[in-house]
Amino acid sequence: MTTLPTLLLVDDEPHSLAAMRMALEDAFDCLEAPGAEEAWRLMEENDVQAVFCDQRMPGRTGVELLTAMRERWPETVRIIITGYTETSDMIGAINDAGIYQFIAKPWHPDQLLMAARNAARLFQLTRDHERMSIEMRYLARSADSKLDKRRQALREGLGFQSVLRGPSSPLNAVVAAARQYASFDVPVLIQGEAGTGKAAMARAIHYASLRSDRPFFDLDCTGMPDDLLEAQLFGAKRGALPGLVTTKVGLLQKAERGTLFLSGVDSLSPRMQLALLRVATERSFQPLGSHETLTAGMRLLVGSHRDLRALVAEGAFRADLYFALAVTEVALPPLRARPGDIALLAGNLLMEAAAAHGKSVHGFSDEALAFLENYDWPGNLRELSNEVTRMLIFAQGKVLGPELISRHILQAQPAEDGADRSADRVLEGSGTLKDRVELIEMRILRETLTRLRWNKSRAAAELGLSRVGLRAKLDRYGVKPPKGAVVAEED
């Protein structure tokens, strides 16, 4: 059953109350009060949406009553009914009581009913607005809280927690130093071989800094022509370059109050070194085709594949630019110096690749990890990522075994001190022809058997040997399956 809106009718004349009730009682629940005291009591006991009050009453006037009601029940709509139309009374009522509408006597029933319906609608709209305002305030606080949590998760996901390493990794000391540098708004020079994770380290420094809420941009300068590099960094006016029909905003402007990481600064030409020196020391630059000098307000991080100090000594890199960029330095170790991190890195790369390609796997076998840990990874993380992806593509089971590993990695002789690269230099090294050929033969035997999961029948057939001949060579070189290796059934 629908509840009717409640009105309070206040008038000291009984016939006026009766007339108002007759006009409104079909659409509203009407309460009646002959004076201010009774009206106040009814307001305290009921949820009244609108008050129709006569102005001229003994004791307290309608304006005085509605003024008091406005303080106590501000959302209730207030309507004055009066036979007097003095301008001073009307202005006073509007200012003091917040009157919604005047109804002059004598009124028509339809006029009164229309006023009541409008008042009830206004009351409901006011209630809805208040409810929505409360909900919006709550949602705003909730959104701010969620935003703070997402920012924190972003910092953690892209910060130093994303730089994977083991408990005894040589990278731990590097990360500890980088954490210290992150909170100081100074340039950082990140040096390391290609693929060692310089961009990830720069991103981690940014998200651990006071600029973490601002944008992060990175650009690899290696091999980029000067005019294109200038346009990317400084921006360019329309027509400054062939085919440029609109003004281009450079990264120095896009990264305003954020962080810009420039990788490959060791490959910069003398012209670009001078331009970058101005940015690093004067914090200023000019877009291509413009005479306007702009201010760079970003934090500058740079990466180098080669030792910049050595390049300065050779005269290949400006000394003043080096000292401007190398306020603090971070040196990333190559992957061959982090054998204890290989299992963790390979496992994470495998899970990422499996999710990206929709292929379910559980991980690597111990034997496969032994081969991966033994290799020196000249291409560092990029080469490891490529190898893991290739293994995933050819995997038939949930656990990836050594038979999926590339041949040049399998041919690395297992050793406690790391990968044995001697066979790679066998053609240039010393020793008799017999010794050098035997070394290569031993490596080929181990690679073939590992790839074929130590199935000697298949290995002998592939190598063009009899099973007896293969067994003799294995005994001669001491080639045996690693402990725990999965051996396929013989044909």
Side-chain angles (χ1 to χ4, degrees), residues 8-12 17 20 33-36 39 51-54 57 65:
L8 174 59
L9 313 178
V10 186
D11 199 314
D12 61 321
L17 284 176
M20 286 192 289
V51 178
F52 286 77
C53 184
D54 185 42
M57 295 187 300
L65 175 61

Side-chain angles (χ1 to χ4, degrees), residues 185-316:
D185 204 16
V186 295
V188 180
L189 170 61
I190 306 174
Q191 299 193 109
E193 296 177 6
T196 50
K198 292 186 289 296
M201 180 61 69
R203 189 175 288 106
I205 291 174
H206 167 73
Y207 283 105
S209 74
L210 298 177
R211 297 174 180 257
S212 59
D213 288 338
R214 306 301 299 175
F216 173 85
F217 291 93
D218 65 288
L219 177 66
D220 189 354
C221 306
T222 306
M224 189 175 294
D226 284 358
D227 55 351
L228 179 58
L229 182 56
E230 284 183 305
Q232 289 289 336
L233 284 178
F234 310 134
K237 293 295 184 181
R238 183 176 59 182
L241 293 174
L244 187 62
V245 296
T246 59
T247 298
K248 178 179 179 60
V249 178
L251 291 179
L252 292 179
Q253 288 179 269
K254 290 181 179 179
E256 177 67 20
R257 297 173 60 192
T259 303
L260 175 61
F261 173 60
L262 300 179
S263 179
V265 294
D266 51 306
S267 66
L268 292 178
S269 68
R271 169 185 163 190
M272 289 306 301
Q273 290 183 36
L274 182 59
L276 186 58
L277 176 63
R278 185 184 181 191
V279 173
T281 57
E282 301 176 13
R283 313 292 292 179
S284 62
F285 65 96
Q286 286 183 332
L288 287 179
S290 172
H291 299 292
E292 180 184 9
T293 299
L294 303 179
T295 300
M298 80 295 152
R299 183 184 187 182
L300 187 62
L301 308 180
V302 296
S304 173
H305 303 323
R306 295 176 289 173
D307 184 358
L308 284 189
R309 189 182 292 272
L311 293 179
V312 169
E314 297 170 5

Side-chain angles (χ1 to χ4, degrees), residues 83-95:
Y84 302 89
T85 58
E86 293 89 353
T87 303
S88 58
D89 288 343
M90 295 175 65
I91 295 176
I94 292 173
N95 293 336

